[in-house]
Amino acid sequence: MPVKEILQIGHPMLADRANEIDIKTISSPEVQDWIKDLVDTMRDADGAGISANQIGIPYRLFVMEITDNPRYPYKPKMPLTVVINPELTFLSDDKFTSNEGCLSVPNMRANVERHLEISVTYYDEKGDKQTKYVRGYSACTWQHEYDHLDGVLFPHRVIDSRSFCSWESFKEYQEAGYAKHVEELVSKWGA
Ligand code: ZN
């Protein structure tokens, strides 16, 4: 499957709520091709996740995967996860200040507050219903991708506009400190 163009902030499809997928169509070649395109595009861009509307498919589908990612060296690993029609519930008021970037927001990062304990139900790529309890840093990645399906990008959630930062400046001045912040979180909460 080809790597797709990633839509950039300001594109109307990134601002709209994406549509539910008819779960009877999950095994169809069309939906399976969407999944392959998403995985290929995410891996090509060294992303930790990507939602379907970021490549012009206005449906409630995203994929996540964190291996040895040069874009996010401090992130705990996550196996490839395909998520269709998710429902997300916050389980506590515990929050984490997550420094985020996005493939649809060029060369910009900033601080966003994310819940640390969530539960998710969704359909996987086989059409099987899954329920998961997610805590710690991975919960931030889930919320970032879930937001895309509702037309929300991380700059909409920024808690301090002075935290806006280029990727180069982040690497040079903030990454080491942030990696420690993430390490402390992971040791307390798990990945
Ligand atoms: Zn994003």
Side-chain angles (χ1 to χ4, degrees):
M1 289 295 124
V3 168
K4 298 288 184 184
E5 183 194 344
I6 300 171
L7 305 184
Q8 297 295 292
I9 186 167
H11 192 291
M13 200 181 286
L14 292 174
D16 284 345
R17 186 183 186 278
N19 302 296
E20 311 288 334
I21 292 179
D22 178 348
I23 56 165
K24 295 194 291 293
T25 67
I26 289 175
S27 59
S28 70
E30 188 182 31
V31 175
Q32 291 297 312
D33 281 353
W34 292 347
I35 293 168
K36 286 183 203 131
D37 287 352
L38 275 173
V39 172
D40 288 350
T41 306
M42 171 179 68
R43 288 176 176 167
D44 179 69
D46 289 324
I50 191 169
S51 65
N53 54 356
Q54 285 182 278
I55 60 166
I57 300 161
Y59 286 95
R60 301 183 82 75
L61 158 67
F62 60 78
V63 300
M64 298 175 291
E65 180 182 52
I66 303 170
T67 51
D68 285 321
N69 190 325
R71 220 172 121 90
Y72 299 101
Y74 48 84
K75 281 199 178 200
K77 311 268 181 288
M78 188 197 288
L80 178 64
T81 308
V82 177
V83 178
I84 295 167
N85 294 354
E87 306 271 355
L88 191 149
T89 309
F90 301 136
L91 297 179
S92 75
D93 288 330
D94 288 313
K95 288 189 183 146
F96 176 72
T97 302
S98 169
N99 184 280
E100 300 188 4
C102 177
L103 297 174
S104 292
V105 182
N107 197 22
M108 196 68 87
R109 304 179 57 118
N111 289 341
V112 178
E113 290 229 303
R114 298 293 187 189
H115 287 261
L116 277 166
E117 268 188 300
I118 60 172
S119 71
V120 287
T121 59
Y122 62 99
Y123 292 88
D124 66 17
E125 67 276 21
K126 297 191 189 96
D128 293 330
K129 193 167 187 178
Q130 304 285 344
T131 300
K132 271 192 186 141
Y133 165 65
V134 187
R135 73 199 293 265
Y137 197 78
S138 304
C140 303
T141 307
W142 273 89
Q143 286 161 82
H144 177 111
E145 297 310 327
Y146 183 86
D147 267 354
H148 274 295
L149 305 185
D150 287 340
V152 175
L153 300 177
F154 83 82
H156 304 142
R157 291 203 184 276
V158 162
I159 47 176
D160 172 8
S161 59
R162 290 180 64 88
S163 70
F164 276 110
C165 180
S166 73
W167 280 76
E168 290 73 21
S169 293
F170 179 79
K171 267 231 159 313
E172 189 160 357
Y173 304 111
Q174 297 183 21
E175 188 174 272
Y178 185 64
K180 265 206 191 93
H181 183 50
V182 172
E183 224 171 80
E184 280 163 21
L185 176 80
V186 170
S187 65
K188 189 169 163 211
W189 285 81

